[in-house]
Amino acid sequence: MTQTLFSTVRLGDITLRNRIAMAPMTRNRSPDGVPTDLNALYYGQRATAGLIITEGTTPDAGGRGYIDIPGLYSAAQVAGWRKVAEAVHAKGGRIVAQVMHTGRISHPDFLDGGSPVAPSAVAAAGDIITKAGPKPMPVPRALDAAEIPAVIATYGRAATLAIEAGLDGVEIHGANGYLPSQFLSTNANLRTDEWGGSVENRARFLLGAVAAAVAAIGPGRVGVRVNPGSTFNDVADTDPEATLTHLATALSGQGLAYLHLVGGAYSYDAAGIARRLFDGPLILNGGYDAARAEADIAGGRADVIAFGVPFLANPDLPTRLRTGTALNAPDPKTFYGGDAHGYTDYPTLAIAAE
Ligand SMILES: Cc1cc2nc3c(=O)[nH]c(=O)nc-3n(C[C@H](O)[C@H](O)[C@H](O)COP(=O)(O)O)c2cc1C
C-alpha cells in the first residue's frame, strides 16, 4: 500500500500519528539548562507533529557549548522536561530528546573555566557566541582513553532521565560536528589508539553512545542522527561514504527506533545508502515542502520527513501541509535566544483566520 505523509508509522516502540517530524532545533531559551514553562508551551504548540525531536540537550555539564541550552543530567532538568512531555502528550503528540554533547564546539565560559573536551587537541575554526560576544573557538583538551567510557555513560544516564521525565525516547546526535561527529571525522580525530584511525575506531564513540542509551532504555526508544561528509563546525571526513556504510550496517539488526539523516548536499548518495543498509525506519530532512515530502514517502525513500525551519515558524505545520495553506515566514533574528517573540507567537491558522 502506498503510504502518505498522513499515515501512521511505528518507529521502534513509538507510534506516530503522521510521518511529519519536527527536526531538532537549538533555541537557547532554557536558562541554567532547565526547560521552562515557555519551552513547554512552544513544544506543546507543535504537538500535532508525528514526532517532535527536541533541541540539542547536553547529557553532562561538560557538554555545554551554547548559551542557555537545556540539559538532561539534573533533577531540576528532569522536572523541566516533565512539563514539556506533559504538554506534548496532552495533545496526543510524541517527543524524544536529542542528546547533544558539543565537545570542542564550546568555550571555557560555558564550562566554569574548564577546557572543552574532544578526541584530539585540535581547535575548530571560527568563533563561538558566548554571553560576552563572539570568541575564537579554543583548543580543546584531548580526552584520555581512560576517561572516554565515563563520557559515553552520560548518554545512558540521559536516556534514563529522558524516560523518567516522561519523554518517549532519545535521539543520539552523531552529526553536525559535535562530540561523536568529532570522533568520526578525520581532521578533528588524530588519535592512534582504538578511538581513532580506521572507520571502525572513529565510529566507536558514537556506537558506544548508542549502545549506552540502548542498554538504559531499550533499542525501540533510541534514534540516531548523522551526516557523514558535512563540514558544519569544521569537521571533515576523507571517505564519508565508507563512514555512513559502516554506521548504517553497525546500527542495523538492533531494533533501533530510527536513523535520521540531516539534510544538505552530500557528495554521495547518502539517502540511498542509508535506505539500503539500515534495516529500520529512516527519517530524511532538509528543505522539504509538502510535494517533495509526499513524493519521498510514497516512493519509499523515507518513512518520516523532518521539517526544521518550517516547523519553527508554523506550529500547525501538519494542517498547513495537508490543506496546502501558505506558511508563515520565519524570522531568523529570533532563532537563537530571546523570549516568547519569534518562539511561541507564530500564528496558527485558527488565529490567522480571526
Ligand atoms: C534555529 C536552528 C537550530 C538548529 N539546531 C539543531 C540542533 O540542535 N540539532 C540538530 O541536529 N540540528 C539542528 N538544526 C538543523 C535542523 O535540524 C535541520 O537539519 C535544518 O534546519 C534543515 O532542515 P529544514 O530545511 O527543514 O529547516 C538547527 C536548525 C536551525 C534553523
Side-chain angles (χ1 to χ4, degrees):
M1 196 181 81
T2 304
Q3 302 296 344
T4 79
L5 262 187
F6 295 92
S7 50
T8 60
V9 63
R10 258 190 89 143
L11 303 185
D13 296 346
I14 312 168
T15 300
L16 316 191
R17 61 175 152 199
N18 61 48
R19 291 161 182 264
I20 300 166
M22 177 175 167
M25 283 177 288
T26 292
R27 302 304 308 274
N28 311 86
R29 284 169 168 88
S30 301
D32 302 321
V34 177
T36 65
D37 290 346
L38 187 67
N39 302 154
L41 176 64
Y42 165 75
Y43 284 115
Q45 287 175 337
R46 288 156 178 77
T48 58
L51 181 69
I52 292 173
I53 305 163
T54 72
E55 61 210 277
T57 299
T58 177
D60 184 65
R64 292 171 293 173
Y66 295 115
I67 297 169
D68 295 343
I69 62 168
L72 251 177
Y73 53 92
S74 76
Q77 291 163 346
V78 170
W81 283 117
R82 190 167 291 125
K83 293 189 281 195
V84 174
E86 285 171 2
V88 172
H89 289 157
K91 295 185 181 168
R94 295 285 173 264
I95 178 167
V96 298
Q98 188 189 53
V99 183
M100 172 180 84
H101 189 305
T102 61
R104 69 178 185 159
I105 306 300
S106 185
H107 192 276
D109 285 12
F110 296 118
L111 303 171
D112 312 312
S115 275
V117 296
S120 301
V122 180
D127 287 344
I128 184 98
I129 310 292
T130 72
K131 289 204 167 168
K135 296 188 180 179
M137 224 106 55
V139 176
R141 182 175 70 77
L143 282 163
D144 193 87
E147 299 176 88
I148 293 177
V151 181
I152 285 177
T154 67
Y155 286 84
R157 181 183 61 191
T160 299
L161 294 180
I163 297 303
E164 197 178 313
L167 299 164
D168 296 294
V170 293
E171 173 178 284
I172 305 302
H173 196 352
N176 291 352
Y178 300 110
L179 187 59
S181 162
Q182 290 157 29
F183 270 92
L184 285 173
S185 86
T186 45
N187 68 339
N189 181 352
L190 308 179
R191 301 180 73 98
T192 53
D193 60 8
E194 71 269 36
W195 302 98
S198 67
V199 65
E200 290 79 9
N201 285 354
R202 284 181 284 115
R204 199 177 304 283
F205 185 92
L206 173 57
L207 296 176
V210 173
V214 166
I217 64 173
R221 297 192 175 278
V222 177
V224 186
R225 195 173 209 217
V226 298
N227 59 350
S230 165
T231 55
F232 188 75
N233 279 325
D234 193 29
V235 287
D237 186 335
T238 50
D239 192 350
E241 186 167 346
T243 301
L244 183 60
T245 297
H246 177 66
L247 291 175
T249 307
L251 293 169
S252 291
Q254 314 184 27
L256 290 175
Y258 63 84
L259 180 63
H260 183 180
L261 267 193
V262 183
Y266 289 87
S267 61
Y268 61 104
D269 180 20
I273 290 173
R275 194 52 157 173
R276 205 166 61 248
L277 297 181
F278 180 65
D279 67 352
L282 179 64
I283 305 182
L284 294 181
N285 160 251
Y288 273 93
D289 59 13
R292 207 177 124 228
E294 283 291 10
D296 276 4
I297 295 294
R301 276 171 59 80
D303 298 289
V304 171
I305 302 296
F307 294 80
V309 172
F311 233 128
L312 181 157
N314 295 274
D316 53 353
L317 183 68
T319 303
R320 290 179 190 248
L321 295 179
R322 189 164 42 78
T323 56
T325 312
L327 302 186
N328 298 322
D331 172 15
K333 293 194 300 297
T334 53
F335 278 9
Y336 302 104
D339 53 19
H341 178 54
Y343 189 55
T344 51
D345 63 354
Y346 282 105
T348 60
L349 288 173
I351 294 170
E354 276 170 10

